[in-house]
Amino acid sequence: MAERSEEVKLLGMWASPFSRRVEIALTLKGLPYEFSEQDIANKSPLLLQSNPVHKMIPVLLHNGKPISESLVILEYIDDTWQHNQILPQDPYDKAIARFWARFVDEQIYVTAMKVVGKVGEERDAAVEATRDLLKLMEKELVGKDFLGGESLGFVDIVATLVAFWLMRTEEVVGVKVVPVEMFPEIHRWVKNLLDVDVIKKCIPPEDEHLNYIRARMDSLKLKSV
């Protein structure tokens, strides 16, 4: 097990759901760390040096050694600091958790991004496609307080992307992608998340976050003109 005196630094961005999930994991572990805010439009030499392949946040620096990609970072944190385990210990349960985490990133997130980037019939199609995927998550939550079972776990941390990015983005877009009447279990899960002190501490402030999302969308619209 790593010593708490070791140097832990996170290269991230305050509004990124991928960066925030790493902060949640570090906070759950009770690990002191330095947060280095990165300008995505003007990437720092440290970021480019630490992640020369993707040149993206988040990057965890542990005693100067860089680890990239948020899912990889979460597993690294759990393997290195083994108290307050995030992933299940049973091999089958661990495999299932990894499956759902990838489903969130590779299916839900990728499809939901099209809701932001499209208009008219294309947006309507993206909304329906996102809902079809969310129905699988809705079914997975039946009878559970969290996606990980009785307590916050790996998949919940990853899926905060749905709770605090997608469900906030819909306010700006003006389209209810996750209506409560269609997804009562997801809305119940979000309320459970907000009862967890670590989550409340680590999610972006809502008003500031919504302003950022609006500014980003305006920027994307200008680029498309």
Side-chain angles (χ1 to χ4, degrees):
M1 184 179 293
E3 298 294 330
R4 289 177 65 89
S5 61
E6 292 183 342
E7 180 184 326
V8 180
K9 184 172 185 175
L10 175 61
L11 310 184
M13 190 270 181
W14 74 272
S16 164
F18 303 100
S19 179
R20 288 287 179 167
R21 61 175 55 156
V22 178
E23 292 187 67
I24 291 170
L26 291 169
T27 304
L28 272 173
K29 297 284 186 179
L31 297 170
Y33 66 95
E34 177 187 350
F35 182 81
S36 176
E37 179 73 20
Q38 299 294 304
D39 182 353
I40 305 305
N42 185 23
K43 296 174 182 178
S44 70
L46 179 58
L47 175 60
L48 296 175
Q49 177 186 344
S50 301
N51 188 1
V53 177
H54 297 300
K55 303 178 176 63
M56 296 292 292
I57 57 123
V59 176
L60 185 76
L61 294 171
H62 182 203
N63 290 334
K65 294 180 179 179
I67 304 98
S68 304
E69 298 291 307
S70 63
L71 296 186
V72 176
I73 294 171
L74 292 181
E75 292 211 37
Y76 178 84
I77 290 170
D78 212 32
D79 288 341
T80 306
W81 295 277
Q82 295 181 4
H83 58 287
N84 299 338
Q85 288 285 310
I86 295 169
L87 274 157
Q89 296 308 292
D90 178 79
Y92 176 78
D93 292 340
K94 185 178 290 187
I96 295 301
R98 287 170 173 155
F99 169 85
W100 283 109
R102 291 183 63 179
F103 178 79
V104 170
D105 278 5
E106 297 175 8
Q107 298 291 322
I108 294 177
Y109 174 71
V110 171
T111 307
M113 279 294 292
K114 296 174 184 176
V115 176
V116 177
K118 303 294 183 180
V119 295
E121 291 183 0
E122 288 184 319
R123 174 177 287 176
D124 292 342
V127 168
E128 288 306 310
T130 303
R131 286 175 176 170
D132 286 343
L133 296 170
L134 288 171
K135 287 173 185 176
L136 298 172
M137 181 174 162
E138 175 81 3
K139 184 178 179 180
E140 189 67 16
L141 278 163
V142 174
K144 299 179 182 177
D145 290 333
F146 297 95
L147 286 160
E150 296 181 358
S151 60
L152 185 76
F154 181 71
V155 185
D156 299 288
I157 294 171
V158 173
T160 53
L161 181 153
V162 173
F164 306 113
W165 176 79
L166 174 57
M167 293 176 72
R168 286 181 176 180
T169 299
E170 67 181 10
E171 294 186 36
V172 179
V173 174
V175 178
K176 278 289 183 184
V177 182
V178 198
V180 65
E181 62 273 12
M182 189 177 292
F183 299 101
E185 296 294 333
I186 290 178
H187 281 261
R188 181 179 59 82
W189 167 73
V190 172
K191 290 180 180 178
N192 290 339
L193 288 178
L194 289 171
D195 285 336
V196 179
D197 289 339
V198 169
I199 296 293
K200 287 188 287 189
K201 180 179 180 180
C202 292
I203 61 174
E206 185 169 4
D207 289 344
E208 189 177 354
H209 195 203
L210 288 172
N211 288 337
Y212 170 81
I213 294 170
R214 289 188 186 97
R216 283 283 295 165
M217 288 186 62
D218 289 343
S219 174
L220 290 172
K221 287 176 184 177
L222 287 173
K223 288 179 181 180
S224 66
V225 173

